mmCIF file of all heavy atoms in Angstrom:
data_model
loop_
_atom_site.group_PDB
_atom_site.id
_atom_site.type_symbol
_atom_site.label_atom_id
_atom_site.label_comp_id
_atom_site.label_asym_id
_atom_site.label_seq_id
_atom_site.Cartn_x
_atom_site.Cartn_y
_atom_site.Cartn_z
ATOM 1 N N GLN A 713 -18.634 1.695 38.331
ATOM 2 C CA GLN A 713 -17.431 1.038 38.848
ATOM 3 C C GLN A 713 -16.301 2.037 39.050
ATOM 4 O O GLN A 713 -15.614 2.030 40.079
ATOM 5 C CB GLN A 713 -16.990 -0.064 37.882
ATOM 6 C CG GLN A 713 -17.969 -1.208 37.736
ATOM 7 C CD GLN A 713 -17.612 -2.120 36.580
ATOM 8 O OE1 GLN A 713 -16.587 -1.949 35.929
ATOM 9 N NE2 GLN A 713 -18.463 -3.101 36.312
ATOM 10 N N LEU A 714 -16.110 2.896 38.062
ATOM 11 C CA LEU A 714 -15.050 3.892 38.154
ATOM 12 C C LEU A 714 -15.317 4.874 39.285
ATOM 13 O O LEU A 714 -14.413 5.217 40.063
ATOM 14 C CB LEU A 714 -14.925 4.637 36.820
ATOM 15 C CG LEU A 714 -13.969 5.830 36.789
ATOM 16 C CD1 LEU A 714 -12.563 5.415 37.198
ATOM 17 C CD2 LEU A 714 -13.970 6.469 35.413
ATOM 18 N N SER A 715 -16.543 5.329 39.398
ATOM 19 C CA SER A 715 -16.894 6.271 40.453
ATOM 20 C C SER A 715 -16.638 5.681 41.831
ATOM 21 O O SER A 715 -16.096 6.351 42.723
ATOM 22 C CB SER A 715 -18.354 6.687 40.324
ATOM 23 O OG SER A 715 -18.724 7.571 41.360
ATOM 24 N N LYS A 716 -17.007 4.420 42.006
ATOM 25 C CA LYS A 716 -16.806 3.742 43.299
ATOM 26 C C LYS A 716 -15.318 3.690 43.649
ATOM 27 O O LYS A 716 -14.920 4.005 44.785
ATOM 28 C CB LYS A 716 -17.391 2.338 43.236
ATOM 29 C CG LYS A 716 -17.263 1.530 44.520
ATOM 30 C CD LYS A 716 -17.981 0.197 44.388
ATOM 31 C CE LYS A 716 -17.879 -0.622 45.667
ATOM 32 N NZ LYS A 716 -16.495 -1.068 45.942
ATOM 33 N N ALA A 717 -14.492 3.320 42.664
ATOM 34 C CA ALA A 717 -13.051 3.238 42.908
ATOM 35 C C ALA A 717 -12.473 4.614 43.207
ATOM 36 O O ALA A 717 -11.625 4.770 44.096
ATOM 37 C CB ALA A 717 -12.356 2.625 41.690
ATOM 38 N N ALA A 718 -12.940 5.618 42.487
ATOM 39 C CA ALA A 718 -12.437 6.979 42.711
ATOM 40 C C ALA A 718 -12.810 7.478 44.105
ATOM 41 O O ALA A 718 -11.982 8.102 44.791
ATOM 42 C CB ALA A 718 -12.997 7.912 41.641
ATOM 43 N N MET A 719 -14.044 7.203 44.548
ATOM 44 C CA MET A 719 -14.473 7.636 45.876
ATOM 45 C C MET A 719 -13.655 6.970 46.965
ATOM 46 O O MET A 719 -13.304 7.593 47.973
ATOM 47 C CB MET A 719 -15.964 7.340 46.064
ATOM 48 C CG MET A 719 -16.886 8.194 45.193
ATOM 49 S SD MET A 719 -16.725 9.961 45.563
ATOM 50 C CE MET A 719 -17.402 9.991 47.226
ATOM 51 N N GLU A 720 -13.339 5.690 46.768
ATOM 52 C CA GLU A 720 -12.526 4.979 47.760
ATOM 53 C C GLU A 720 -11.126 5.560 47.860
ATOM 54 O O GLU A 720 -10.476 5.470 48.907
ATOM 55 C CB GLU A 720 -12.470 3.500 47.406
ATOM 56 C CG GLU A 720 -13.805 2.787 47.614
ATOM 57 C CD GLU A 720 -13.779 1.352 47.112
ATOM 58 O OE1 GLU A 720 -12.725 0.918 46.589
ATOM 59 O OE2 GLU A 720 -14.815 0.661 47.255
ATOM 60 N N LEU A 721 -10.669 6.162 46.765
ATOM 61 C CA LEU A 721 -9.348 6.788 46.768
ATOM 62 C C LEU A 721 -9.404 8.270 47.112
ATOM 63 O O LEU A 721 -8.367 8.929 47.205
ATOM 64 C CB LEU A 721 -8.689 6.608 45.395
ATOM 65 C CG LEU A 721 -8.350 5.176 44.988
ATOM 66 C CD1 LEU A 721 -7.903 5.124 43.527
ATOM 67 C CD2 LEU A 721 -7.240 4.616 45.891
ATOM 68 N N GLY A 722 -10.619 8.801 47.265
ATOM 69 C CA GLY A 722 -10.779 10.200 47.613
ATOM 70 C C GLY A 722 -10.491 11.163 46.480
ATOM 71 O O GLY A 722 -10.044 12.299 46.708
ATOM 72 N N ILE A 723 -10.772 10.724 45.236
ATOM 73 C CA ILE A 723 -10.521 11.590 44.082
ATOM 74 C C ILE A 723 -11.768 11.654 43.207
ATOM 75 O O ILE A 723 -12.724 10.897 43.393
ATOM 76 C CB ILE A 723 -9.329 11.095 43.234
ATOM 77 C CG1 ILE A 723 -9.627 9.704 42.642
ATOM 78 C CG2 ILE A 723 -8.047 11.081 44.047
ATOM 79 C CD1 ILE A 723 -8.546 9.223 41.690
ATOM 80 N N ARG A 724 -11.742 12.559 42.256
ATOM 81 C CA ARG A 724 -12.802 12.655 41.250
ATOM 82 C C ARG A 724 -12.136 12.642 39.882
ATOM 83 O O ARG A 724 -11.285 13.473 39.594
ATOM 84 C CB ARG A 724 -13.606 13.941 41.448
ATOM 85 C CG ARG A 724 -14.916 13.976 40.668
ATOM 86 C CD ARG A 724 -15.636 15.290 40.907
ATOM 87 N NE ARG A 724 -16.987 15.279 40.344
ATOM 88 C CZ ARG A 724 -17.678 16.370 40.062
ATOM 89 N NH1 ARG A 724 -17.135 17.570 40.282
ATOM 90 N NH2 ARG A 724 -18.890 16.289 39.579
ATOM 91 N N GLN A 725 -12.515 11.669 39.049
ATOM 92 C CA GLN A 725 -11.852 11.448 37.769
ATOM 93 C C GLN A 725 -12.609 12.106 36.624
ATOM 94 O O GLN A 725 -13.816 11.921 36.478
ATOM 95 C CB GLN A 725 -11.722 9.948 37.495
ATOM 96 C CG GLN A 725 -11.157 9.596 36.139
ATOM 97 C CD GLN A 725 -9.731 10.072 35.946
ATOM 98 O OE1 GLN A 725 -8.901 9.878 36.829
ATOM 99 N NE2 GLN A 725 -9.436 10.678 34.807
ATOM 100 N N ASP A 726 -11.887 12.861 35.788
ATOM 101 C CA ASP A 726 -12.477 13.418 34.577
ATOM 102 C C ASP A 726 -12.716 12.301 33.562
ATOM 103 O O ASP A 726 -11.848 11.432 33.359
ATOM 104 C CB ASP A 726 -11.554 14.461 33.958
ATOM 105 C CG ASP A 726 -11.543 15.757 34.740
ATOM 106 O OD1 ASP A 726 -12.439 15.961 35.581
ATOM 107 O OD2 ASP A 726 -10.615 16.566 34.515
ATOM 108 N N VAL A 727 -13.888 12.323 32.927
ATOM 109 C CA VAL A 727 -14.227 11.299 31.939
ATOM 110 C C VAL A 727 -14.807 11.956 30.688
ATOM 111 O O VAL A 727 -15.343 13.069 30.735
ATOM 112 C CB VAL A 727 -15.247 10.271 32.491
ATOM 113 C CG1 VAL A 727 -14.711 9.604 33.751
ATOM 114 C CG2 VAL A 727 -16.604 10.919 32.761
ATOM 115 N N ILE A 728 -14.662 11.235 29.571
ATOM 116 C CA ILE A 728 -15.358 11.613 28.342
ATOM 117 C C ILE A 728 -16.206 10.423 27.915
ATOM 118 O O ILE A 728 -15.865 9.269 28.182
ATOM 119 C CB ILE A 728 -14.385 12.060 27.227
ATOM 120 C CG1 ILE A 728 -13.376 10.958 26.886
ATOM 121 C CG2 ILE A 728 -13.651 13.321 27.642
ATOM 122 C CD1 ILE A 728 -12.416 11.345 25.750
ATOM 123 N N LEU A 729 -17.312 10.700 27.270
ATOM 124 C CA LEU A 729 -18.276 9.668 26.909
ATOM 125 C C LEU A 729 -18.141 9.319 25.439
ATOM 126 O O LEU A 729 -18.121 10.217 24.582
ATOM 127 C CB LEU A 729 -19.700 10.144 27.191
ATOM 128 C CG LEU A 729 -19.975 10.710 28.582
ATOM 129 C CD1 LEU A 729 -21.442 11.139 28.685
ATOM 130 C CD2 LEU A 729 -19.599 9.729 29.678
ATOM 131 N N ARG A 730 -18.065 8.043 25.154
ATOM 132 C CA ARG A 730 -18.122 7.624 23.756
ATOM 133 C C ARG A 730 -19.597 7.565 23.358
ATOM 134 O O ARG A 730 -20.382 6.825 23.965
ATOM 135 C CB ARG A 730 -17.477 6.258 23.564
ATOM 136 C CG ARG A 730 -17.300 5.911 22.089
ATOM 137 C CD ARG A 730 -16.754 4.527 21.917
ATOM 138 N NE ARG A 730 -16.136 4.367 20.600
ATOM 139 C CZ ARG A 730 -16.122 3.235 19.929
ATOM 140 N NH1 ARG A 730 -16.688 2.163 20.425
ATOM 141 N NH2 ARG A 730 -15.529 3.164 18.757
ATOM 142 N N VAL A 731 -19.958 8.335 22.348
ATOM 143 C CA VAL A 731 -21.363 8.460 21.942
ATOM 144 C C VAL A 731 -21.508 7.966 20.507
ATOM 145 O O VAL A 731 -20.689 8.278 19.642
ATOM 146 C CB VAL A 731 -21.845 9.923 22.047
ATOM 147 C CG1 VAL A 731 -23.328 10.014 21.699
ATOM 148 C CG2 VAL A 731 -21.582 10.477 23.453
ATOM 149 N N ILE A 732 -22.560 7.186 20.265
ATOM 150 C CA ILE A 732 -22.802 6.633 18.929
ATOM 151 C C ILE A 732 -24.287 6.709 18.590
ATOM 152 O O ILE A 732 -25.131 6.861 19.471
ATOM 153 C CB ILE A 732 -22.347 5.159 18.824
ATOM 154 C CG1 ILE A 732 -23.133 4.282 19.825
ATOM 155 C CG2 ILE A 732 -20.858 5.022 19.039
ATOM 156 C CD1 ILE A 732 -22.903 2.795 19.639
ATOM 157 N N LYS A 733 -24.579 6.651 17.306
ATOM 158 C CA LYS A 733 -25.946 6.406 16.863
ATOM 159 C C LYS A 733 -25.902 5.228 15.894
ATOM 160 O O LYS A 733 -24.832 4.907 15.329
ATOM 161 C CB LYS A 733 -26.562 7.654 16.236
ATOM 162 C CG LYS A 733 -25.918 8.168 14.971
ATOM 163 C CD LYS A 733 -26.703 9.394 14.466
ATOM 164 C CE LYS A 733 -26.141 9.920 13.152
ATOM 165 N NZ LYS A 733 -24.796 10.500 13.271
ATOM 166 N N PRO A 734 -27.021 4.530 15.693
ATOM 167 C CA PRO A 734 -26.997 3.277 14.911
ATOM 168 C C PRO A 734 -26.419 3.407 13.513
ATOM 169 O O PRO A 734 -25.873 2.442 12.981
ATOM 170 C CB PRO A 734 -28.478 2.872 14.874
ATOM 171 C CG PRO A 734 -29.058 3.457 16.115
ATOM 172 C CD PRO A 734 -28.346 4.773 16.300
ATOM 173 N N THR A 735 -26.525 4.580 12.893
ATOM 174 C CA THR A 735 -26.042 4.741 11.520
ATOM 175 C C THR A 735 -24.582 5.179 11.445
ATOM 176 O O THR A 735 -24.033 5.335 10.355
ATOM 177 C CB THR A 735 -26.907 5.765 10.774
ATOM 178 O OG1 THR A 735 -26.906 7.005 11.503
ATOM 179 C CG2 THR A 735 -28.334 5.256 10.610
ATOM 180 N N ASP A 736 -23.942 5.373 12.577
ATOM 181 C CA ASP A 736 -22.537 5.781 12.575
ATOM 182 C C ASP A 736 -21.639 4.664 12.050
ATOM 183 O O ASP A 736 -21.999 3.484 12.080
ATOM 184 C CB ASP A 736 -22.080 6.153 13.986
ATOM 185 C CG ASP A 736 -22.490 7.558 14.377
ATOM 186 O OD1 ASP A 736 -22.921 8.314 13.481
ATOM 187 O OD2 ASP A 736 -22.389 7.895 15.567
ATOM 188 N N GLN A 737 -20.463 5.056 11.593
ATOM 189 C CA GLN A 737 -19.473 4.075 11.165
ATOM 190 C C GLN A 737 -18.727 3.570 12.397
ATOM 191 O O GLN A 737 -18.119 4.358 13.135
ATOM 192 C CB GLN A 737 -18.479 4.683 10.175
ATOM 193 C CG GLN A 737 -17.446 3.688 9.671
ATOM 194 C CD GLN A 737 -16.574 4.274 8.575
ATOM 195 O OE1 GLN A 737 -17.042 5.082 7.773
ATOM 196 N NE2 GLN A 737 -15.329 3.865 8.535
ATOM 197 N N VAL A 738 -18.788 2.275 12.609
ATOM 198 C CA VAL A 738 -18.053 1.643 13.709
ATOM 199 C C VAL A 738 -17.415 0.373 13.159
ATOM 200 O O VAL A 738 -18.084 -0.430 12.511
ATOM 201 C CB VAL A 738 -18.980 1.290 14.896
ATOM 202 C CG1 VAL A 738 -18.175 0.645 16.021
ATOM 203 C CG2 VAL A 738 -19.701 2.532 15.407
ATOM 204 N N PHE A 739 -16.127 0.188 13.408
ATOM 205 C CA PHE A 739 -15.448 -0.992 12.896
ATOM 206 C C PHE A 739 -15.843 -2.233 13.688
ATOM 207 O O PHE A 739 -16.086 -2.148 14.895
ATOM 208 C CB PHE A 739 -13.933 -0.803 12.961
ATOM 209 C CG PHE A 739 -13.414 0.280 12.051
ATOM 210 C CD1 PHE A 739 -12.655 1.313 12.547
ATOM 211 C CD2 PHE A 739 -13.697 0.252 10.692
ATOM 212 C CE1 PHE A 739 -12.173 2.317 11.717
ATOM 213 C CE2 PHE A 739 -13.228 1.244 9.847
ATOM 214 C CZ PHE A 739 -12.466 2.284 10.358
ATOM 215 N N PRO A 740 -15.921 -3.393 13.026
ATOM 216 C CA PRO A 740 -16.216 -4.632 13.742
ATOM 217 C C PRO A 740 -15.232 -4.856 14.891
ATOM 218 O O PRO A 740 -14.046 -4.559 14.769
ATOM 219 C CB PRO A 740 -16.040 -5.707 12.658
ATOM 220 C CG PRO A 740 -16.310 -4.993 11.380
ATOM 221 C CD PRO A 740 -15.769 -3.600 11.569
ATOM 222 N N GLY A 741 -15.756 -5.334 15.994
ATOM 223 C CA GLY A 741 -14.921 -5.554 17.163
ATOM 224 C C GLY A 741 -14.723 -4.310 18.008
ATOM 225 O O GLY A 741 -14.030 -4.344 19.024
ATOM 226 N N GLN A 742 -15.351 -3.182 17.602
ATOM 227 C CA GLN A 742 -15.184 -1.934 18.352
ATOM 228 C C GLN A 742 -16.532 -1.311 18.718
ATOM 229 O O GLN A 742 -16.630 -0.110 18.932
ATOM 230 C CB GLN A 742 -14.351 -0.943 17.533
ATOM 231 C CG GLN A 742 -12.952 -1.428 17.230
ATOM 232 C CD GLN A 742 -12.158 -0.441 16.394
ATOM 233 O OE1 GLN A 742 -12.525 0.729 16.255
ATOM 234 N NE2 GLN A 742 -11.054 -0.900 15.821
ATOM 235 N N PHE A 743 -17.576 -2.145 18.768
ATOM 236 C CA PHE A 743 -18.896 -1.621 19.067
ATOM 237 C C PHE A 743 -18.995 -1.194 20.534
ATOM 238 O O PHE A 743 -18.310 -1.731 21.393
ATOM 239 C CB PHE A 743 -19.969 -2.666 18.760
ATOM 240 C CG PHE A 743 -20.072 -3.011 17.300
ATOM 241 C CD1 PHE A 743 -19.542 -4.186 16.811
ATOM 242 C CD2 PHE A 743 -20.668 -2.132 16.407
ATOM 243 C CE1 PHE A 743 -19.622 -4.506 15.463
ATOM 244 C CE2 PHE A 743 -20.746 -2.434 15.063
ATOM 245 C CZ PHE A 743 -20.221 -3.631 14.594
#
Side-chain angles (χ1 to χ4, degrees):
Q713 295 169 4
L714 173 57
S715 178
K716 181 175 181 293
M719 291 298 293
E720 290 174 359
L721 295 171
I723 63 174
R724 193 181 189 200
Q725 175 64 46
D726 286 345
V727 303
I728 58 178
L729 309 180
R730 190 184 201 212
V731 183
I732 61 171
K733 64 178 183 293
T735 56
D736 279 348
Q737 181 173 326
V738 180
F739 294 125
Q742 298 179 15
F743 295 103

